[in-house]
RNA sequence: GCCCGGGUGGUGAAACUGGUAGACACAAGAGACUUAAAAUCUCUCGCCGCAAGGUGUACGGGUUCGAUUCCCGUCCCGGGCACCA
């Protein structure tokens, strides 16, 4: 018999085996996904990257997780789809254009080219035939098409929206570009400005988006909760304060969830943009100045909410709807026009914000709800001695805010409502308001409609034509796509499209007259809200989606993986789009788009900067910085490697282009190979935990792979044998190893499949190989066991380190292909154990251990524990009061 | 400010449903092999203590036979806050 094979390399050389493995996968089409109704499908999707230039560690982490799950499920017999594409529109391309004088399109495509090659070098089992970039007209034409359908249904509409206006650059800025209230390039004070924008009616789906959250059992509870709070359903009362102004009877509407406190209203606050504020400012210059001041600064809610609360009286009074008492209207900078009616009733005694505002401006505080479970009726503890005397209670409000003031309780000081609890009071008050025609119970959502217009160039053109006689006219299907011109000049001042007559000059599709094309583009969240459906049919030139979506997305995408930072917006918009597309009749009722969600923790890194001219921060990459630490390892300072001069240490933040703190994985891959990079990042932390980047430990990951290689080399050189399939002929130590092997198989499958915690799976295989090293395996039975352990260990690790796995499995089982191997199956017979060890505690403290037969009953275990000399020593001769036996774990003796 | 997470050795972390705190690694130290270095192998490694033992999971309280895990409060760090993606 002549069987010639190339002898196995003694040394682990990742570059060689990775090239060979990737070539093999390419040639065999290992990652190609084809619809196959004979197998269960597994659509494994990782959030597609923005092509920012190079991969960063967050990408490596994200896509390795996806690849591990994809490969694991393929080994379990699933028909796996793992696609990849590019979220290619967005602001960074325009910023790069400004900084380096390159066209956004060219910059984007070249980044895609580089990053694709990086992804390929990591050996991900991606079906590249489904790749697309969202900046391609073949992709975005379909969202333009959908836009016109939604516009026709009224699900897209136009209204005024507030933006950040840079008065120097004459341009609209993103929130990220507003730093401390100033434009990032001009340094000018930013103003709020109202402009017409297109909105999507996501509020029409608020109820469905909320209730369907309950069905998302494959999502982290945390994300469901965040979405629930974001949608923010609240039930309360919408009511009006009537008033007379300029000879007309008017109503000032507000919404409250605390109608029970309505008798405690001492003033009303409206937003600076509220019509009543505008009216009052007409003959009040001071108020007009205040309103102008409120217009300064950015629109981001975080800024508004942390601002000092300021206000000014309008001099206008409205009538309390129940008492008729006159209540003054104030303008407050903390009241948001975009929430509800842009006006709130103020009850300083029971709302913390109102309380501080009232204290600041000496407005009356009128308590109407008893704090801390007090009751007028029963005088229940801890009531003051004389409960009929309410003065001591009111005196409580003289001091600081107390958390009890905001809690539901029994009403007092409220006339006919005295003694009612929260629910009864709200019911009674709502009824009385309704009788007067001044209000009713109402459900309100915090969720607002989604503004999708952007005054930017690098995005999907909005397919609308403005005609002087016909109004806004959607671009007809046969004129789609509206193609974004790719050769433009970016100046940073205003939208380039608005300066291109060749783009905006057009004819009205209805009347044929001269008209102007919309020059705003769509929010890039638009593209990422449906890309996951397009992966099923990227080649369809005649329809947005087709029946293949029904195959791959039935019951939802099986696994979605991406950063926790997308927990609200992207995931909510994607859920919304799926429902929209269902209602437009594009897809059947697929249900929720993502059946299982894994929210990856952020890869964070320290930030470093220097202040440039006019105080602008120039961010410096961590790779270019030396950090000085004290003896405890705490950073005390940092210097730039290039010049040795100090740089300022910023916070530790998610790796982002804007802070220049991304770490390029390429150096890691070049030095150690893709498998080490993959193994290391999976071993560093569980996937949902945030991970502060450090490459300490990479060496250890590489060492482990080298050791695995050597274990297989040694075994192969001694000669291959048939793998062991049962415990016959094994020594006790060998049986222990075989038990460990099969325990490890179960543990790793559970970690991959259920827990999605890969660091512990790797640790388990490390433990197994440590045990392997310590077991005598030179006899015939031992050699067969060695073969079984090595074959299994290689397959257990294959999803994480597929290149070395491909090579080693080929050596261990010549002629086979690791890509076609099934995941190792546990042999229950190998798990059997005669004796187990139990820990003995005395009063909850570990004092000893006993060995008992595996099937020992409770009484026998108790007896053995009480007889244990270590336990007796600590029982001090006292009798056991109680003995707690936790089967399989421990015995606790209480004395 | 509001919503959601997190805090365990020198470091990354483990402990899955309330049951042995620190698995598995990194770093460090000691030793073996080597002319030497690298690589590899062996041992030590939370803190206090010679030891017995005590103590320890951000901090303060609580529930429990037993708490890293559950509850209340405080502090610190991270994510999101609707135009970063």
């Amino acid at each position: 018999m002549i069987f010639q094979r190339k002898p196995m390399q003694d040394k682990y050389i990742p570059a060689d085996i990775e090239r060979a493995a990737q070539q093999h996968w390419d040639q065999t089409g290992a990652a190609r996904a084809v619809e196959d109704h004979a197998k269960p499908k597994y659509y494994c999707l990782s959030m597609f990257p923005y092509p920012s230039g190079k991969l960063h560690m967050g990408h490596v982490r994200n896509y390795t997780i996806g690849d591990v799950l994809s490969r694991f499920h393929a080994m379990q017999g699933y028909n796996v789809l793992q696609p990849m594409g590019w979220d290619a529109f967005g602001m960074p391309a325009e910023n790069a254009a400004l900084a380096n004088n390159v066209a956004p399109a060219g910059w984007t495509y070249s980044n895609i080219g580089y990053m694709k090659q990086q992804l390929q070098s990591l050996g991900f089992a991606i079906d590249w035939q489904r790749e697309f970039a969202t900046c391609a007209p073949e992709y975005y034409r379909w969202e333009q098409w959908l836009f016109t359908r939604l516009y026709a249904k009224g699900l897209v509409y136009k209204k005024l929206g507030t933006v950040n206006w840079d008065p120097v650059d004459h341009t609209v800025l993103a929130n990220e570009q507003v730093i401390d209230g100033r434009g990032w390039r001009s340094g000018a004070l930013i103003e709020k400005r109202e402009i017409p924008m297109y909105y999507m009616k996501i509020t029409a789906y608020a109820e469905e988006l909320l209730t369907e959250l309950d069905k998302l059992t494959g999502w982290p509870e945390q994300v469901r909760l965040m979405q629930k709070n974001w949608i923010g359903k609240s039930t309360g009362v919408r009511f009006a304060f009537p008033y007379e102004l300029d000879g007309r009877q008017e109503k000032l509407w507000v919404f409250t969830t605390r109608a029970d406190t309505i008798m405690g209203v001492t003033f009303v606050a409206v937003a600076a943009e509220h019509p009543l504020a505008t009216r009052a400012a007409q003959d009040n210059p001071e108020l007009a100045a205040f309103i102008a001041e409120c217009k300064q600064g950015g629109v981001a809610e975080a800024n508004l909410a942390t601002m000092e609360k300021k206000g000014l009286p309008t001099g206008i009074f409205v009538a309390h709807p129940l008492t008729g008492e006159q209540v003054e209207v104030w303008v407050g900078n903390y009241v948001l026009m975009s929430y509800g009616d842009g006006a709130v009733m103020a009850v300083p005694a029971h709302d913390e914000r109102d309380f501080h505002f009232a204290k600041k401006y000496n407005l009356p505080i009128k308590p109407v709800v008893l704090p801390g479970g007090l009751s007028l009726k029963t005088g229940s503890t801890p009531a003051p001695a004389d409960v009929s005397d309410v003065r001591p209670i009111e005196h409580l409000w003289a001091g600081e805010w107390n958390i009890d003031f905001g809690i539901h309780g029994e009403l007092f000081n409220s006339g006919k409502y005295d003694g009612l609890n929260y629910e009864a009071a709200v019911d009674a008050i709502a009824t009385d308001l309704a009788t007067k025609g001044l209000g009713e119970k109402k459900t309100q959502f915090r969720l607002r409609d989604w503004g999708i217009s952007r005054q930017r160039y690098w995005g999907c053109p909005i397919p609308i034509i403005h005609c002087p006689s016909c109004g806004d006219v959607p671009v007809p299907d046969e004129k789609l796509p509206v193609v974004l011109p790719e050769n433009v000049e970016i100046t940073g001042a205003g939208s380039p499209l608005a300066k291109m007559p060749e783009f905006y000059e057009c004819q009205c599709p209805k009347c044929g007259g001269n008209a102007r094309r919309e020059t705003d583009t769509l929010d890039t969240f638009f593209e990422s809200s449906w890309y996951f459906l397009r992966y099923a049919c990227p080649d369809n030139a005649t329809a947005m989606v087709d029946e293949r979506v029904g195959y791959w997305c039935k019951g939802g995408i099986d696994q979605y993986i991406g950063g926790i930072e997308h927990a609200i917006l992207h995931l909510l918009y994607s859920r919304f789009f799926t429902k929209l597309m269902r209602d437009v009749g594009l897809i059947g009722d697929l249900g929720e788009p993502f059946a299982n969600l894994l929210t990856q923790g952020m890869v964070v890194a320290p930030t470093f900067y220097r202040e440039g001219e006019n105080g602008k921060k120039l961010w410096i990459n961590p790779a270019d910085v030396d950090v000085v630490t004290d003896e405890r390892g705490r950073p005390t300072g940092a210097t730039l490697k290039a010049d040795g001069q100090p740089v300022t240490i910023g916070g530790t933040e998610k790796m982002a282009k804007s802070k220049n703190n991304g770490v390029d994985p390429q150096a890691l891959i070049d030095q150690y190979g893709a498998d080490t990079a993959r193994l290391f990042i999976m071993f560093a932390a569980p996937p949902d935990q945030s991970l502060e980047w450090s490459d300490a430990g990479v060496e250890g990951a590489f060492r482990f792979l080298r050791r695995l290689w050597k274990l297989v080399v040694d075994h192969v050189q001694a000669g291959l044998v048939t793998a062991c399939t049962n415990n016959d002929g094994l020594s006790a130590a060998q049986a222990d190893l075989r038990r460990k092997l099969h325990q490890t198989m179960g543990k790793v499958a559970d970690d991959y499949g259920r827990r999605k915690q890969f660091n512990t799976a790797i640790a388990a295989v490390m433990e197994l190989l440590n045990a392997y090293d310590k077991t005598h395996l030179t006899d015939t039975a031992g050699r067969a066991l060695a073969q079984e352990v090595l074959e299994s260990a290689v397959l257990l690790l294959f999803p994480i380190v597929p290149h070395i796995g491909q090579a080693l499995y080929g050596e261990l089982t010549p002629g086979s292909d690791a890509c076609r191997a099934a995941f190792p199956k546990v042999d229950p017979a190998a798990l059997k154990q005669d004796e187990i060890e139990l820990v003995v505690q005395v009063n909850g403290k570990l004092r000893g251990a006993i060995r008992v037969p595996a099937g020992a009953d409770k009484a026998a275990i108790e007896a053995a524990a009480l007889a244990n000399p270590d336990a007796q020593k600590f029982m001090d001769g006292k009798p056991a009061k109680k003995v707690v036996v936790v089967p399989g774990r421990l015995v606790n003796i209480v004395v």
Side-chain angles (χ1 to χ4, degrees):
Chain A
M1 182 188 78
I2 299 165
F3 177 60
Q4 283 191 326
R5 276 196 313 130
K6 269 209 310 206
M8 191 179 175
Q9 273 278 3
D10 276 359
K11 244 184 111 187
Y12 169 48
I13 304 169
D16 293 352
I17 65 157
E18 290 181 3
R19 194 180 316 114
Q22 286 169 17
Q23 240 166 42
H24 171 76
W25 298 332
D26 284 349
Q27 282 162 8
T28 56
R32 183 84 183 104
V34 180
E35 296 76 36
D36 175 357
H37 290 272
K39 277 179 167 185
K41 59 97 186 174
Y42 185 80
Y43 181 177
C44 183
L45 179 68
S46 292
M47 289 181 186
F48 63 167
Y50 177 78
S52 55
K54 312 176 226 182
L55 292 187
H56 58 65
M57 288 300 167
H59 292 130
V60 177
R61 193 183 197 193
N62 197 155
Y63 304 138
T64 303
I65 294 167
D67 202 44
V68 172
L69 293 173
S70 292
R71 290 182 182 273
F72 172 65
H73 282 87
M75 292 172 93
Q76 301 268 50
Y78 287 87
N79 186 29
V80 173
L81 165 60
Q82 187 178 215
M84 185 56 68
W86 308 96
D87 189 13
F89 276 137
M91 225 172 46
E94 292 184 44
N95 296 340
L98 266 174
N100 311 319
N101 200 28
V102 289
W107 182 83
T108 302
Y109 289 122
S110 95
N111 288 347
I112 288 174
Y114 181 73
M115 290 171 75
K116 180 175 179 182
Q117 163 262 310
Q118 283 192 301
L119 287 176
Q120 286 173 324
S121 78
L122 280 159
F124 298 132
I126 289 166
D127 182 357
W128 285 104
Q129 291 192 35
R130 294 171 187 265
E131 174 193 12
F132 57 78
T134 57
C135 61
E138 295 75 32
Y139 180 80
Y140 66 69
R141 70 170 298 174
W142 295 113
E143 59 191 47
Q144 291 178 337
W145 177 85
L146 178 66
F147 180 101
T148 61
R149 294 299 177 287
L150 296 173
Y151 185 80
K153 291 188 84 160
L155 288 166
V156 169
Y157 66 95
K158 196 156 130 180
K159 69 169 181 184
L160 289 180
T162 316
V163 295
N164 302 306
W165 179 254
D166 184 321
V168 170
D169 277 348
H170 299 286
T171 195
V172 175
L173 296 184
N175 286 335
E176 193 192 44
Q177 298 171 309
V178 179
I179 295 152
D180 300 330
R182 292 174 181 275
W184 69 331
R185 299 182 67 236
S186 67
L189 280 174
I190 295 307
E191 300 163 8
K192 296 181 189 70
R193 181 173 275 207
E194 301 219 298
I195 58 168
M197 306 210 299
Y198 291 95
Y199 281 81
M200 293 198 94
K201 220 175 210 161
I202 191 170
T203 52
Y205 287 77
E207 190 71 57
E208 191 186 355
L209 288 167
L210 180 68
T211 54
E212 296 262 290
L213 282 175
D214 292 338
K215 295 188 192 161
L216 293 174
T217 51
W219 282 37
E221 192 51 46
Q222 177 201 159
V223 177
R224 290 158 64 180
L225 193 56
M226 279 193 263
Q227 294 221 347
K228 180 175 182 244
N229 291 338
W230 184 263
I231 296 168
K233 181 176 181 174
S234 57
T235 49
V237 177
R238 183 170 180 261
F239 69 94
F241 294 83
Y243 63 97
E244 194 189 316
L245 189 65
D246 304 329
R248 286 205 305 273
Q249 293 297 320
E250 303 276 359
K251 286 175 184 167
L252 175 60
W253 287 93
V254 300
F255 175 83
T256 180
T257 56
R258 290 300 306 271
D260 60 317
T261 64
I262 196 169
M263 300 304 275
V265 169
T266 57
F267 64 101
V268 181
V270 300
E273 301 89 349
H274 195 279
L276 209 52
T278 314
R279 168 64 190 80
Q282 277 172 19
D283 30 48
N284 184 340
E286 197 195 349
L287 185 61
F290 176 66
I291 290 172
E293 186 193 320
C294 288
K295 286 203 171 142
Q296 287 211 339
V299 299
E301 193 195 312
N303 299 332
L304 301 174
T306 49
M307 261 181 346
E308 193 198 345
K309 312 280 172 287
K310 286 190 194 168
L312 218 59
T314 59
I316 296 173
F317 285 78
V318 294
H320 190 285
L322 296 179
T323 65
E325 219 174 297
Q326 289 291 296
V327 180
E328 186 161 32
V329 178
W330 281 61
V331 175
N333 65 353
Y334 64 93
V335 185
L336 301 178
M337 194 61 212
S338 48
Y339 288 169
D341 296 286
V344 293
M345 70 174 198
V347 184
H350 303 291
D351 179 278
E352 187 172 2
R353 218 166 36 174
D354 295 344
F355 178 82
H356 292 301
F357 193 85
K359 287 269 177 185
K360 180 169 179 174
Y361 293 105
N362 272 319
L363 292 161
I365 296 171
K366 182 188 174 196
V368 291
V369 175
L370 292 167
L374 301 184
S375 171
L376 287 175
K377 282 174 274 186
T378 62
S380 61
T381 52
D386 180 3
V387 291
S388 63
D389 177 12
V390 295
R391 269 183 42 227
I393 296 173
E394 288 180 311
H395 275 135
L396 292 173
W397 277 267
E400 288 297 299
W401 174 259
N402 182 316
I403 196 160
D404 281 345
F405 296 166
I407 290 171
H408 292 176
E410 190 180 302
L411 268 63
F412 73 112
N413 251 354
S414 301
K416 64 184 271 207
Y417 309 111
D418 278 358
L420 296 180
N421 65 16
Y422 172 79
E423 286 80 14
V426 170
D427 283 346
I429 288 165
T431 305
D432 289 349
L433 287 167
T435 310
K436 296 184 173 217
L438 286 174
E440 59 185 353
K441 276 197 176 177
K442 204 197 158 200
T443 299
Q444 184 168 284
F445 292 92
R446 202 188 77 98
L447 183 69
R448 308 198 299 258
D449 276 341
W450 171 18
I452 50 176
S453 294
R454 297 292 179 270
Q455 299 68 46
R456 272 191 271 286
Y457 157 70
W458 190 235
C460 170
I462 292 179
I464 290 279
I465 287 165
H466 304 288
C467 171
S469 33
C470 308
D472 292 356
V473 183
V475 176
D477 290 0
E478 63 274 15
K479 291 280 175 65
L480 292 177
V482 178
V483 176
L484 183 73
E486 293 201 348
N487 287 312
V488 293
E489 202 201 334
I490 308 284
T491 61
S495 163
L497 294 181
K499 294 177 219 155
M500 295 176 76
E502 66 273 31
F503 177 77
Y504 64 72
E505 282 178 356
C506 62
Q507 271 71 51
C508 171
K510 261 192 192 161
C511 69
N514 284 339
R516 186 182 163 98
R517 193 183 295 287
E518 172 66 52
T519 55
D520 279 0
T521 52
L522 290 172
D523 179 2
T524 57
F525 273 126
F526 213 92
E527 282 85 57
S528 56
S529 295
W530 68 284
Y531 76 107
F532 44 89
L533 301 174
R534 185 68 182 175
Y535 279 139
C537 52
D539 52 359
N540 194 326
T542 57
M544 189 171 186
V545 288
D546 63 31
E547 69 290 344
R548 289 172 288 176
V549 171
Y551 174 80
W552 289 112
C553 303
K554 188 171 187 192
I557 285 164
D558 302 273
Q559 185 68 56
Y560 196 27
I561 305 132
I564 182 71
E565 69 272 26
H566 292 296
I568 295 176
L569 293 179
H570 162 63
L571 289 169
L572 189 65
Y573 293 150
S574 298
R575 296 180 58 217
F576 170 48
F577 254 63
T578 309
K579 297 177 197 319
L580 280 178
M581 289 173 73
R582 172 199 65 197
D583 291 348
V584 173
L586 287 167
I587 50 179
D589 194 359
L590 296 172
E592 284 285 330
F594 312 119
N596 294 293
L597 175 68
L598 195 161
T599 45
Q600 172 195 214
M602 224 98 34
V603 181
V604 296
T607 57
F608 302 95
Y609 64 88
R610 276 185 182 161
E611 304 242 340
E613 81 277 23
N614 65 37
K616 255 192 294 177
K617 284 173 182 167
L618 303 169
W619 299 95
I620 299 162
N621 195 273
D624 302 326
V625 169
D626 285 317
V627 177
V628 187
T629 55
D630 62 16
E631 64 275 24
R632 281 184 169 181
R634 294 183 173 194
T636 51
T639 55
L640 185 66
K641 279 181 182 163
D643 61 13
Q645 296 304 303
V647 297
T648 311
I649 304 179
T652 297
E653 297 181 53
K654 75 166 167 170
M655 286 189 182
K657 198 160 181 71
S658 60
K659 296 285 166 68
N660 192 18
N661 65 338
V663 175
D664 184 1
Q666 200 56 49
L668 192 63
I669 300 167
D670 292 345
Q671 193 178 350
Y672 296 99
D675 281 338
T676 296
R678 296 168 57 123
L679 177 67
F680 173 62
I681 203 152
M682 287 298 94
F683 188 54
D688 54 354
Q689 211 164 98
S690 74
L691 172 60
E692 187 166 347
W693 179 252
S694 151
D695 53 13
V698 174
E699 194 68 47
F702 183 66
R703 202 149 48 207
F704 174 71
L705 293 181
R706 193 160 53 196
R707 179 169 162 228
L708 178 66
W709 186 269
K710 181 152 189 309
L711 291 178
V712 174
V713 169
D714 289 350
H715 178 78
V716 169
Q717 284 176 351
L720 293 171
V721 294
T722 303
C724 163
T725 54
N726 57 52
N727 281 21
D728 294 352
L730 296 183
S731 70
Q734 289 168 344
D736 281 346
L737 175 63
R738 189 153 188 270
R739 183 182 329 109
K740 179 97 187 159
L741 168 65
H742 285 266
Q743 280 170 347
T744 306
M745 290 175 186
K747 158 89 181 148
V748 172
D750 188 48
D751 278 350
Y752 287 165
R754 177 182 63 93
R755 296 218 299 158
K756 292 168 184 81
Q757 189 167 299
F758 311 106
N759 55 334
T760 47
I762 296 164
V765 179
M766 286 174 169
E767 274 189 68
L768 171 66
L769 293 182
N770 288 347
Y772 172 91
D773 258 351
K774 291 193 172 76
T775 311
H776 259 281
L777 297 167
T778 43
D779 57 316
T780 312
R783 296 277 306 139
L785 177 58
Q787 180 83 27
E788 188 192 9
V789 171
L790 292 175
E791 279 180 24
S792 308
V794 164
L795 290 179
L796 292 178
L797 291 172
F798 180 75
I800 294 173
V801 287
H803 306 89
I804 193 174
Q806 186 80 34
L808 293 180
Y809 196 68
E811 295 292 344
L812 286 164
T813 59
S816 67
D817 183 345
C819 277
R820 301 220 165 82
F823 201 77
K825 270 226 164 64
V826 177
D827 173 9
L831 298 176
K832 280 210 185 105
Q833 216 172 346
D834 300 334
E835 230 185 14
I836 54 167
E837 194 181 74
L838 294 180
V839 154
V840 181
Q841 295 180 335
V842 177
N843 287 338
K845 286 192 179 163
L846 173 64
R847 298 303 184 188
I850 51 171
R851 291 193 71 84
V852 296
D857 65 5
K858 218 178 148 175
I861 293 170
E862 262 191 55
L866 289 167
N868 182 264
D870 293 319
Q872 282 176 352
K873 190 170 135 200
F874 286 92
M875 286 170 68
D876 249 352
K878 289 178 220 154
K881 267 190 224 155
K882 187 176 172 182
V883 181
V884 182
V885 178
V886 182
R889 292 212 173 253
L890 57 72
V891 186
N892 187 17
I893 302 165
V894 186
V895 294

